Each structure stands twice: as C-alpha cells, then as structure tokens.
Amino acid sequence: MDVLLRGGPGDGQVIAAYGETAVWRACLYEITGERSHRRNGPSLRVYRHRDDCCEPRDRGSQDHCE
C-alpha cells in the first residue's frame, strides 16, 4: 500500500509501507490516523517522522535507531 511521509527529510515522499512503521533512507516514520486526500488518485495513509530516530547528515554508522 502506498503511504505519504510527513516531516523530516522524506516529507512529501510516497512510498510502499505496511504495518506500524516505515523506513525511508535512514529515517523512521510511524503510522497516524490521518489520511491525505489527493486530487488525482486515492487518499493515502500518513506516516509521521520520528525526530529521535533519524541518521543525521552523513555521519554514517555512528548514528542509528535504538
């Protein structure tokens, strides 16, 4: 199922996701009860960015989700 990411570096991206969380690049997004209504297509479930779980700018393996 396609979902819409809100917040963080993936804001506005549409990706395939299933379940309670989605990962886009190195960032974690959690499901919300929101839906985004699009003009040319079906409405999408919204996943919100978790600020505490995102790999900061190019620091590589030093940063990760706990």
Side-chain angles (χ1 to χ4, degrees), residues 2-6 11-14 32-48:
D2 286 343
V3 302
L4 177 66
L5 304 181
R6 293 280 186 188
D11 189 46
Q13 296 292 322
V14 174
T32 69
E34 299 173 49
R35 287 187 110 33
S36 175
H37 301 284
R38 296 174 20 175
R39 268 187 270 168
N40 301 329
S43 63
L44 300 174
R45 183 169 291 277
V46 174
Y47 280 58
R48 273 270 169 227

Side-chain angles (χ1 to χ4, degrees), residues 15-65:
I15 65 167
Y18 304 92
E20 299 295 314
T21 60
V23 176
W24 183 81
R25 299 207 176 163
C27 294
L28 183 65
Y29 289 78
E30 292 179 320
I31 197 169
T32 69
E34 299 173 49
R35 287 187 110 33
S36 175
H37 301 284
R38 296 174 20 175
R39 268 187 270 168
N40 301 329
S43 63
L44 300 174
R45 183 169 291 277
V46 174
Y47 280 58
R48 273 270 169 227
H49 179 247
R50 273 192 45 187
D51 291 327
D52 65 334
C53 198
C54 191
E55 185 176 353
R57 304 175 193 108
D58 303 326
R59 288 176 48 191
S61 62
Q62 296 172 356
D63 301 301
H64 60 279
C65 294

